[in-house]
Amino acid sequence: MTAPVLAVSAQRTSTALLLAGAAARRGLETTVAAGPDTVRALSGRPVHWYGGPRLADRIAGALRLGLLEPPDDWLARLPQQLTHRRIELTTHREVTAQRGVTRRRPFFAKPPSDKSFPPGVYADAAQLPPASPGTPVLVSDVVAFRAEYRLFLLDGALAAASRYAVHGRLDPAPLDGDPYARAVRAFAARLTGHAPLPSASAVDVGLLDDGRWAVVEANMPWFAHGYAADPDGVLDVVLRAAGPYDRVRDGDRPFLRPAPDRATADRRTPPAARTP
């Protein structure tokens, strides 16, 4: 049987390096997806992916990748007792049409998963950076987090976790030994049974300044920094979230990233289009 491969982007992040080390300990080869020649060399082999969504969209068909991602509306569908703020999923067109409407000032806006524009707090819709009109946008009330944590979940259980920010500033640290470790694990357990996620997911949670715990957002594990989380646990999640299409579990198929429509550069082609 051909050994599986972990393909990574040419951007050598600390997480990619740590995952490559964890992969090597399991006998997995790590290859940089440097161009068409690399993709052709990997053809027919079981490939997993860690890297950005734009390159993933270009190589997924040739490498027969099944890429799992949270639904765009996942955060907006959560009960407010898990978010403690109003959140809605809209589009860039609809947000910019609200220029000057006071209920939108200030507001936090971000794309649900792709980095089509930087997330941030905007005083008015006129300040929103340009993007395609149909770009999905999550708009929410502004809240302040005392500490924020990234959870890597596998089958609903915590596979790895790390603190990544304190009072909005990057400050990674292992969850073990963190003063809020027990509370983080307890809050992670509360997420099970609410709005569904893929079996392999990355979810950010945080402690608000008022002492309540809240979900920050969900992420694609194959494009999420591990920060100070255990690389082996992160790798477990990444391998499930981005691997051979024909090994995707039935329950995960609704969460497959759609193939891009090359004519429009929008993700409109249904996942079934990648089925052999």
Side-chain angles (χ1 to χ4, degrees):
M1 182 178 178
T2 306
V5 179
L6 176 65
V8 299
S9 66
Q11 185 178 3
R12 303 292 282 174
T13 66
S14 58
T15 300
L17 292 173
L18 290 170
L19 291 179
R25 291 191 290 273
R26 303 186 191 189
L28 274 71
E29 175 187 344
T30 299
T31 299
V32 176
D37 289 343
T38 305
V39 174
R40 282 192 291 270
L42 293 176
S43 179
R45 298 185 65 178
V47 178
H48 300 267
W49 171 249
Y50 180 79
R54 291 184 180 179
L55 181 54
D57 285 340
R58 293 201 296 270
I59 67 176
L63 297 181
R64 300 178 60 77
L65 287 172
L67 303 168
L68 304 182
E69 62 180 3
D72 285 347
D73 65 349
W74 181 77
L75 190 62
R77 290 168 56 194
L78 286 178
Q80 196 159 335
Q81 62 263 32
L82 292 178
T83 63
H84 300 297
R85 61 198 187 277
R86 294 172 299 174
I87 304 169
E88 65 174 308
L89 177 68
T90 181
T91 65
H92 193 277
R93 178 191 296 109
E94 291 169 343
V95 175
T96 54
Q98 299 291 322
R99 296 182 183 189
V101 177
T102 56
R103 71 182 181 89
R104 292 283 191 211
R105 293 188 292 195
F107 64 94
F108 179 84
K110 70 176 294 293
S113 54
D114 292 352
K115 308 299 183 183
S116 49
F117 66 85
V121 176
Y122 299 96
D124 184 86
Q127 295 184 353
L128 198 68
S132 173
T135 299
V137 178
L138 284 168
V139 176
S140 74
D141 296 332
V142 178
V143 293
F145 287 96
R146 188 183 307 172
E148 297 168 75
Y149 301 81
R150 176 152 295 167
L151 315 178
F152 290 88
L153 304 173
L154 192 63
D155 295 322
L158 193 61
S162 168
R163 188 184 74 202
Y164 65 87
V166 175
H167 295 297
R169 294 180 179 271
L170 190 65
D171 189 5
L175 182 62
D176 291 340
D178 186 274
Y180 298 114
R182 181 176 296 181
V184 170
R185 292 189 174 96
F187 188 69
R190 289 180 57 194
L191 299 178
T192 304
H194 291 284
L197 281 169
S199 66
S201 307
V203 176
D204 294 347
V205 303
L207 178 64
L208 294 167
D209 278 350
D210 64 9
R212 297 179 297 177
W213 286 90
V215 176
V216 178
E217 63 180 1
N219 300 280
M220 301 172 288
W222 44 271
F223 189 43
H225 283 294
Y227 297 112
D230 171 39
D232 288 290
V234 175
L235 182 62
D236 286 337
V237 178
V238 170
L239 295 180
R240 175 82 65 82
Y245 185 92
D246 58 4
R247 298 183 188 176
V248 175
R249 300 179 176 192
D250 289 344
D252 280 330
R253 291 194 174 271
F255 303 106
L256 280 165
R257 180 177 177 85
D261 183 331
R262 297 186 185 280
T264 63
D266 289 334
R267 296 186 293 118
R268 294 176 181 171
T269 308
R274 283 201 296 231
T275 304

